[in-house]
Amino acid sequence: MSEILASLRSLMASHSPPLDALVVPSEDYHQSEYVSARDKRREFVSGFTGSAGLALVTKKDARLWTDGRYFLQATQQLSVEWTLMRMGEDPGFDAWVADNLPVEAAIGIDPWCVSVDTAQRWQLTFAKKQQKLVQTETNLVDEVWKSRPPAEINPVVVHPIEFTGCSVAQKLKDLRAKLKNEKTRGIVVTTLDEVAWLYNIRGTDVSYCPVVHAFAIITSNSAFLYVDKKKVSAETNRYMEENGIDVRDYADVSSDVVLLASDQLDSTSEVKGTDTTTGKGTTEAEGNNNDRIWVDPGSCCYALYSKLNSEKVHMQQSPLALAKALKNPVELDGLKKAHVRDGAAVVQYLVWLDKQMQESYGASGYFLEGQSANKKKDLGAIRLTEVTVSDKLEGFRASKEHFRGLSFPTISSVGPNAAIIHYSPHAETCAELNPDSIYLFDSGAQYLDGTTDITRTVHFGNPSTHEKACYTAVLKGHIALGNACFPNGTNGHALDILARIPLWKDGLDYRHGTGHGIGSYLNVHEGPHLISFRPHARNVPLQASMTVTDEPGYYEDGNFGIRLENVLIVKEADIKFNFGDKGYLSFEHITWAPYQTKMIDLTLLGPEEINWLNIYHGRCRDILAPYLDESEMAWLNKATEPIGV
């Protein structure tokens, strides 16, 4: 690690102008949360593998900012050369730079890896000390990274209408109507899932996310896809032509944005779509007399924005973000079906794991409480580790229809490791399962008809009174949020408290948000809405046909972690009254897997909570029965027996 920092500092010193600091973000050119191996620059320089974080290298210092999900993990992974900066507790990045770097300091950034919002915020803060952002011509980390993985050539795949539920033609028509409504003549689309959703394409360029490294530009009468052409087959190219999409080289987006700014960007593809009133094709001038370009400041990289005339840029969240989040009936149906198959896989996994824990470790098992017999495994027998059991879970999922892979690295965590919120086990260092410790697994899959994400926490031995109380508090919050009924216009910031109140009553809490959207065979974390204490959860209200997770938790460093997670669909509520004619919303659970009743302290649950749990468990039995064999069904029947009756 020290050699990497020394090499970077040498490049910083020889840069023109010399750099006092270099910013290394987590994101790629598309501001992605999950990035390909060759884009993990922050991980390369710092050794920290979490999905969120910002590294800063100065002449004599190296610091990493990350959020509460990763405090414990970062502490374990960062070398002595690095200082961990805890977001929300330590000074923020821009404030620290302004206060600790010299006046007129030059701070280097790769403008392709920083969003417009972020760059402009930093510029404003740094200007107070006459500090300046310097856009580097090349990425300095790439120059140091001699073993950087090569770019992969993975095919662009057309996602069929039977799964998307909406044609590209309709999506382009809806988008162009929004462009016209906002008095804009074009939009630069940079986020990978928006490009994939708009053009109904998928790929494998980023692990766990079925997306393609690509940009898009859409004008009033043209549509462009910027991608490595070696990824586009003749058949896919015909599909693009049929939909009026001009395929261009990935690197051409830079020069084409310049042409877009001067209204000289022309398409070689036949224009698809007609004026709905006259039935005639529309030209750019006829269809839209406006001269502004739509850019999403939160996702568009500063490099592309810098090529536009800032006075003619419409800065607003991409209209595709909300359109993608509002699932159509086909997408909702697919998500529900995917979650049923996924729930069956989770139950099959629990049945298998319960048997293994009893046979190999002498555990009392999923249903009974009692100390384990500390049974010694036979020589040569396979150990159950966090990795081997998660591989088994993947195997159960892989047997299901439409399976295409996992939706994120499985969080398979025993005891103290479960307290690391986004723990990622590795075969060489992971823990062995322990019948006397809590086991938390947070996992999901990509199916052609939907993306899944589920968390369950179990104990195969004798949970302590404290562990039961904490589990029950988390469950109470999980139930409270899932049963919420709220007026239209309510955002996730207002709802977040519902999941925390049962924990707050005992002085407990958790350092992560409570819910995120889920894609339709797309990213497992999808906006623009979320349920969280963070201020940006106020930006977008929840709306009918959105998906959102419900995942409160509690974590004790060095001891255990608990999290429970289901995916919900926002729907119109069946209410007695309708105050203010606002209309009210509620949630529908689409995740099906039992909660471990031996982890529940029944004295802490009220009658309504017990009733909800019994009804939910009854539905688990009915819904999953067609996918389970006789022994698996017998196990599920026992796991979902009514409680408190």
Side-chain angles (χ1 to χ4, degrees):
M1 203 58 65
S2 56
E3 292 178 5
I4 295 170
L5 291 175
S7 298
L8 278 177
R9 287 174 176 136
S10 176
L11 289 176
M12 289 160 56
S14 61
H15 190 271
S16 179
L19 301 176
D20 295 276
L22 178 69
V23 182
V24 186
S26 302
E27 292 78 17
D28 58 11
Y29 290 7
H30 306 269
Q31 298 300 296
S32 307
E33 177 187 14
Y34 294 107
V35 299
S36 64
R38 71 190 316 265
D39 290 322
K40 293 182 178 179
R41 299 179 178 92
R42 189 225 61 228
E43 179 180 323
F44 170 73
V45 301
S46 69
F48 169 63
T49 61
S51 65
L54 180 71
L56 179 73
V57 179
T58 69
K59 293 177 179 179
K60 296 183 178 180
D61 204 3
R63 292 174 181 262
L64 178 113
W65 279 259
T66 192
D67 62 56
R69 295 172 297 170
Y70 295 109
F71 289 170
L72 192 54
Q73 180 178 335
T75 301
Q76 295 174 352
Q77 292 182 332
L78 291 176
S79 64
V80 292
E81 292 98 342
W82 287 85
T83 300
L84 172 62
M85 304 295 285
R86 294 171 170 82
M87 292 170 66
E89 297 180 11
D90 296 323
F93 166 78
D94 35 0
W96 188 92
V97 168
D99 292 342
N100 291 275
L101 293 186
V103 172
E104 298 186 350
I107 298 108
I109 62 165
D110 179 347
W112 286 91
C113 297
V114 177
S115 71
V116 180
D117 257 354
T118 299
Q120 292 185 338
R121 187 179 73 249
W122 289 349
Q123 285 176 325
L124 203 60
T125 305
F126 300 161
K128 298 171 184 175
K129 295 286 183 70
Q130 291 81 53
Q131 298 165 333
K132 57 184 180 296
L133 276 184
V134 176
Q135 300 184 35
T136 59
E137 291 293 325
T138 61
N139 191 294
L140 301 191
V141 174
D142 293 351
E143 294 187 37
V144 170
W145 195 355
K146 303 304 181 187
S147 60
R148 186 182 178 212
E152 296 182 8
I153 307 300
N154 301 310
V156 176
V157 179
V158 176
H159 197 41
I161 190 101
E162 67 183 276
F163 297 121
T164 67
C166 186
S167 67
V168 176
Q170 185 61 50
K171 290 179 180 181
L172 286 172
K173 180 181 177 182
D174 293 344
L175 175 58
R176 286 175 174 134
K178 289 168 184 169
L179 295 181
K180 188 173 183 180
N181 190 55
E182 293 294 336
K183 297 180 171 57
T184 57
R185 61 179 173 83
I187 183 171
V188 182
V189 182
T190 58
T191 56
L192 301 182
D193 63 332
E194 290 184 5
V195 175
W197 179 86
L198 177 65
Y199 289 156
N200 286 343
I201 56 174
R202 299 293 188 268
T204 55
D205 286 350
V206 179
S207 297
Y208 311 106
C209 307
V211 293
V212 180
H213 278 137
F215 294 97
I217 293 176
I218 297 88
T219 68
S220 301
N221 62 357
S222 301
F224 303 87
L225 174 69
Y226 300 89
V227 66
D228 185 334
K229 287 187 175 181
K230 292 192 288 292
K231 299 177 181 180
V232 183
S233 67
E235 183 182 356
T236 301
N237 206 55
R238 281 195 298 274
Y239 164 84
M240 296 295 173
E241 290 177 358
E242 289 166 3
N243 284 284
I245 301 166
D246 193 340
V247 180
R248 299 194 172 183
D249 285 321
Y250 183 80
D252 287 349
V253 69
S254 191
S255 56
D256 275 10
V257 166
V258 175
L259 293 173
L260 177 68
S262 57
D263 202 7
Q264 299 178 69
L265 183 59
D266 296 315
S267 174
T268 56
S269 293
E270 180 185 347
V271 176
K272 303 292 178 180
T274 56
D275 187 298
T276 54
T277 55
T278 66
K280 299 175 182 178
T282 58
T283 66
E284 184 121 3
E286 290 169 346
N288 192 341
N289 294 317
N290 304 298
D291 198 30
R292 294 189 303 160
I293 304 302
W294 192 323
V295 162
D296 185 334
S299 62
C300 180
C301 60
Y302 196 60
L304 290 179
Y305 168 79
S306 299
K307 299 177 186 302
L308 296 167
N309 179 348
S310 60
E311 294 180 358
K312 294 185 177 181
V313 173
H314 177 67
M315 299 267 270
Q316 187 179 333
Q317 184 172 68
S318 166
L320 298 177
L322 182 59
K324 174 166 54 65
L326 296 171
K327 309 300 187 220
N328 63 49
V330 171
E331 290 173 318
L332 289 175
D333 184 60
L335 279 161
K336 291 177 183 180
K337 289 176 178 175
H339 279 81
V340 171
R341 298 192 303 275
D342 201 66
V346 169
V347 169
Q348 290 169 329
Y349 172 62
L350 284 170
V351 173
W352 172 84
L353 188 56
D354 185 20
K355 182 180 180 183
Q356 295 298 314
M357 291 300 293
Q358 293 182 63
E359 292 182 353
S360 300
Y361 293 90
S364 53
Y366 186 90
F367 301 109
L368 300 176
E369 294 188 51
Q371 294 299 325
S372 69
N374 290 319
K375 184 177 178 181
K376 298 296 182 184
K377 290 178 65 63
D378 297 331
L379 289 174
I382 298 174
R383 293 166 60 240
L384 293 181
T385 71
E386 293 166 329
V387 168
T388 60
V389 297
S390 69
D391 287 347
K392 188 70 175 181
L393 173 56
E394 181 175 356
F396 284 119
R397 285 192 162 108
S399 69
K400 302 295 180 279
E401 185 183 18
H402 298 322
F403 176 82
R404 286 297 179 271
L406 300 182
S407 55
F408 59 96
T410 298
I411 300 170
S412 174
S413 51
V414 175
N417 290 340
I420 304 173
I421 297 169
H422 272 204
Y423 173 73
S424 181
H426 298 281
E428 311 78 34
T429 57
C430 68
E432 186 170 3
L433 263 66
N434 183 345
D436 298 320
S437 295
I438 275 178
Y439 173 61
L440 181 157
F441 63 104
D442 183 346
S443 62
Q446 295 286 5
Y447 302 94
L448 288 174
D449 52 354
T451 303
T452 68
D453 187 2
I454 175 177
T455 309
R456 290 295 184 264
T457 304
V458 296
H459 200 302
F460 293 100
N462 187 25
S464 69
T465 302
H466 176 57
E467 288 170 335
K468 285 185 177 183
C470 294
Y471 181 97
T472 308
V474 171
L475 177 62
K476 287 171 72 71
H478 177 77
I479 294 172
L481 177 59
N483 285 344
C485 185
F486 48 95
N488 271 308
T490 303
N491 57 51
H493 191 274
L495 295 176
D496 182 77
I497 189 176
L498 296 177
R500 296 181 193 270
I501 287 176
L503 289 154
W504 287 355
K505 285 181 178 178
D506 290 327
L508 307 177
D509 205 351
Y510 51 97
R511 288 192 179 102
H512 58 76
T514 305
H516 58 82
I518 292 273
S520 288
Y521 186 42
L522 271 176
N523 293 354
V524 72
H525 293 160
E526 182 176 270
H529 60 292
L530 69 161
I531 298 175
S532 177
F533 59 92
R534 303 187 193 283
H536 60 280
R538 296 189 180 102
N539 295 349
V540 179
L542 297 184
Q543 299 177 41
S545 80
M546 283 180 168
T547 59
V548 69
T549 61
D550 172 3
E551 50 178 312
Y554 173 66
Y555 313 89
E556 277 191 13
D557 290 356
N559 291 323
F560 64 85
I562 296 165
R563 184 162 63 253
L564 299 171
E565 176 185 20
N566 280 7
V567 173
L568 315 173
I569 290 174
V570 185
K571 64 174 185 176
E572 292 183 4
D574 182 13
I575 49 172
K576 188 176 181 180
F577 303 106
N578 185 17
F579 181 79
D581 291 326
K582 292 181 177 180
Y584 283 70
L585 301 172
S586 61
F587 295 117
E588 174 187 352
H589 286 257
I590 62 172
T591 299
W592 305 107
Y595 305 94
Q596 191 178 26
T597 54
K598 90 171 184 185
M599 283 288 286
I600 300 172
D601 183 343
L602 283 179
T603 66
L604 300 177
L605 290 186
E608 287 188 6
E609 293 164 326
I610 290 173
N611 184 56
W612 179 87
L613 195 63
N614 287 334
I615 291 173
Y616 174 83
H617 275 163
R619 294 202 67 198
C620 281
R621 290 193 297 272
D622 296 341
I623 289 170
L624 299 181
Y627 297 86
L628 304 176
D629 66 24
E630 190 175 342
S631 64
E632 292 162 349
M633 197 61 217
W635 186 96
L636 181 59
N637 283 334
K638 190 172 183 180
T640 56
E641 287 177 352
I643 61 172
V645 294

